[in-house]
Structure formats: C-alpha cells, structure tokens
C-alpha cells in the first residue's frame, strides 16, 4: 500500500508524451503497463495506452489484461507481468500480444508462453528481451521492488549517474518465452531524470481501506481467491 502512495507522487514523471522524449510507445488495447523504467504506475495512469520515452534503452513491465468469455459470462484475465527491455531512437513503437486471445484455451496457451511483439512505424520488428517478472513473497505484489530485485540479479541498474553491467537473457528465476527476440550486445538502461519523492505523512483509516481495495484490484484472479480465503480465516469476531 505504501508503494501506491509513493506512485501517486511521481505521476508527473510518467505522464504520456512528455516533452523532449522521442520514443513514442503505444500499447494494444489488451496490453497494460505496470512499471515504466523502474517506476510503478499509479492506478490512474495504469490504463494509459501511450507513453513517450527518452531515446536509448527503456524497460517496461507489461501484462495482458482482457475480458474472456467463459460460457455465458466474462472473466477478467491478467497474465503474469513481463519485463520487456528494448533499445530504440526516434521511433513510434506498437506493443501487442503475439497472438489473439479470445477463448479459455488460448488463455492457457498464453500463460505457458507469454510474449509480446514490438513493431515500429515502418512495420519492422524492434528487438527486445522479455522475461516473466518473478513474484516476491506475500499476497500483495510490489512490482517496483520485484523489478529492482530482478534487475539486480541480471546486473542492471536503473537511474543514477551511470549504468552498470548488462542484462542476461535467461533469468535464473524467470521463465523466458520461447519466441523471445534477444539482443546480442549487453543491454544498457539509460539513466532517467531524477524524481523527487516526498515521504508519505501517514494514512488515515479511511484511506487505508481505499489503498487496500486498490491493492486487491491489482491481484490476479487466483491471488484474489487466496487472499479472500486468508481473510475469512483470520477475520476478527
């Protein structure tokens, strides 16, 4: 919950199409961004489909988010988040799923091998590295911390004055899609603009409930079920 409060304070750094940025990224309607260059998006920005980034190497955490027909009803499917790292300059890039997802059987296939295609304005494929983001401990996911832990294991440092090391194509604890396009050279994450983050001054009980609800909505369907089972067992009489 603390992470959501912090994310709201940095929304200005992640507003779509910021001045002086030169790589315009458009997400397919079924693709949702969770983290952009190390900064977790607040709920109000997570639904945005266009972002403007600086030239060079950028890193997104994205997932498939789509209503799937299950008989006469629809269920919301959210895939495991993928870390997508790519290098580009002065291009418009479209990110979309590698295949169409309409039915439950297709959902199962995507779960086994999630992947996305990156295409520039001329129709050429933009090379990228894609890895499933390993989940940390606990019910509530902290994508920013999980990505920091993932990048540390890969030898990548986001932000700051300089970049250190490279991205390893096969993560030690991540499942890598079979059709991922890999770059042959070490991937460098360009330093981003420094963001001033003020510490939260405390959260009222009312806001705590709102933040808990927001965290609950971030969970996958399976995680929501597990959380509800835990809540029922631990409810105070």
């Amino acid at each position: 919950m603390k992470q959501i409060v912090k994310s709201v304070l940095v929304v200005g750094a992640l507003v779509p199409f910021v001045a002086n940025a030169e790589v315009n990224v458009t997400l397919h309607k079924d693709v949702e961004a969770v983290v952009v260059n190390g900064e977790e998006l607040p709920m109000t920005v997570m639904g945005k489909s266009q972002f403007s980034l600086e030239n060079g190497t950028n890193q997104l955490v994205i997932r498939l988010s789509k209503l799937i027909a299950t008989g006469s009803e629809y269920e919301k499917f959210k895939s495991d988040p993928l870390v997508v790292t790519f290098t580009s300059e002065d291009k418009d890039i479209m990110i979309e799923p590698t295949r169409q997802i309409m039915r439950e059987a297709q959902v199962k296939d995507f779960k086994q091998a999630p992947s996305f295609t990156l295409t520039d304005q001329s129709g050429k494929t933009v090379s990228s590295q894609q890895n499933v983001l390993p989940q940390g401990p606990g019910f509530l996911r902290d994508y920013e911390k999980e990505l920091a832990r993932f990048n540390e294991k890969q030898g990548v440092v986001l932000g700051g004055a300089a970049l250190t090391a490279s991205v390893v194509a096969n993560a030690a604890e991540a499942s890598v899609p079979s059709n991922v396009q890999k770059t042959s050279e070490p991937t460098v994450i360009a330093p981003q603009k420094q963001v001033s983050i003020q510490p939260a001054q405390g959260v009222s009980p009312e806001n705590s409930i709102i933040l808990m609800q927001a965290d609950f909505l971030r969970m996958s369907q399976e995680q929501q079920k597990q959380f509800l089972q835990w809540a029922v067992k631990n409810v105070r009489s």
Side-chain angles (χ1 to χ4, degrees):
M1 292 189 291
K2 178 179 67 175
Q3 192 63 36
I4 295 178
V5 175
K6 186 177 78 171
S7 296
V8 174
L9 298 176
V10 300
V11 63
L14 300 170
V15 172
F17 291 102
V18 181
N20 300 324
E22 299 185 59
V23 177
N24 295 322
V25 175
T26 300
L27 303 180
H28 183 272
K29 62 182 180 64
D30 296 333
V31 179
E32 180 179 74
V34 180
V35 182
V36 176
N37 285 333
E39 294 287 354
E40 184 171 349
L41 302 182
M43 295 295 290
T44 54
V45 179
M46 196 174 290
K48 299 293 184 181
S49 61
Q50 293 180 316
F51 298 90
S52 218
L53 309 172
E54 294 182 0
N55 279 337
T57 300
N58 288 283
Q59 188 180 65
L60 307 179
V61 176
I62 59 177
R63 63 188 176 194
L64 185 70
S65 178
K66 182 179 177 63
L67 284 173
I68 302 296
T70 57
S72 59
E73 298 180 350
Y74 285 86
E75 291 186 4
K76 187 73 170 183
F77 166 67
K78 291 190 177 183
S79 69
D80 291 329
L82 257 67
V83 182
V84 179
T85 307
F86 63 95
T87 301
S88 185
E89 293 187 0
D90 303 321
K91 289 183 179 180
D92 296 330
I93 297 176
M94 167 65 77
I95 301 180
E96 53 192 339
T98 52
R99 51 197 178 278
Q100 191 177 34
I101 310 295
M102 299 294 293
R103 300 184 300 275
E104 287 185 87
Q106 294 170 324
V107 167
K108 293 179 181 179
D109 291 340
F110 193 85
K111 282 183 176 180
Q112 293 178 354
S115 59
F116 298 89
T117 57
L118 283 69
T119 309
D120 65 18
Q121 65 269 33
S122 64
K124 295 181 180 179
T125 298
V126 177
S127 180
S128 66
Q129 291 182 211
Q130 301 182 22
N131 302 85
V132 173
L133 180 64
Q135 181 174 353
F139 284 108
L140 302 181
R141 299 200 65 165
D142 189 327
Y143 295 107
E144 210 169 290
K145 288 184 178 179
E146 290 173 359
L147 181 61
R149 190 180 302 113
F150 173 84
N151 282 334
E152 182 179 4
K153 291 182 178 180
Q154 305 308 302
V156 174
V157 175
L158 283 171
L163 169 89
T164 63
S166 63
V167 172
V168 178
N170 294 316
E173 297 182 4
S175 172
V176 183
S178 59
N179 57 346
V180 166
Q181 297 161 4
K182 304 186 179 81
T183 54
S184 57
E185 296 297 326
T187 300
V188 174
I189 307 297
Q192 300 300 304
K193 295 181 179 178
Q194 296 298 314
V195 180
S196 177
I197 301 176
Q198 301 177 0
Q201 299 299 319
V203 181
S204 67
E206 292 80 8
N207 286 337
S208 294
I209 294 176
I210 295 174
L211 294 175
M212 177 66 76
Q213 291 171 338
D215 282 336
F216 183 78
L217 293 175
R218 288 173 180 266
M219 298 179 187
S220 66
Q221 185 178 15
E222 183 60 31
Q223 289 172 332
Q224 288 177 347
K225 291 179 180 178
Q226 293 176 4
F227 180 80
L228 289 174
Q229 291 172 355
W230 173 86
V232 169
K233 291 180 180 178
N234 292 274
V235 66
R236 296 176 182 174
S237 57

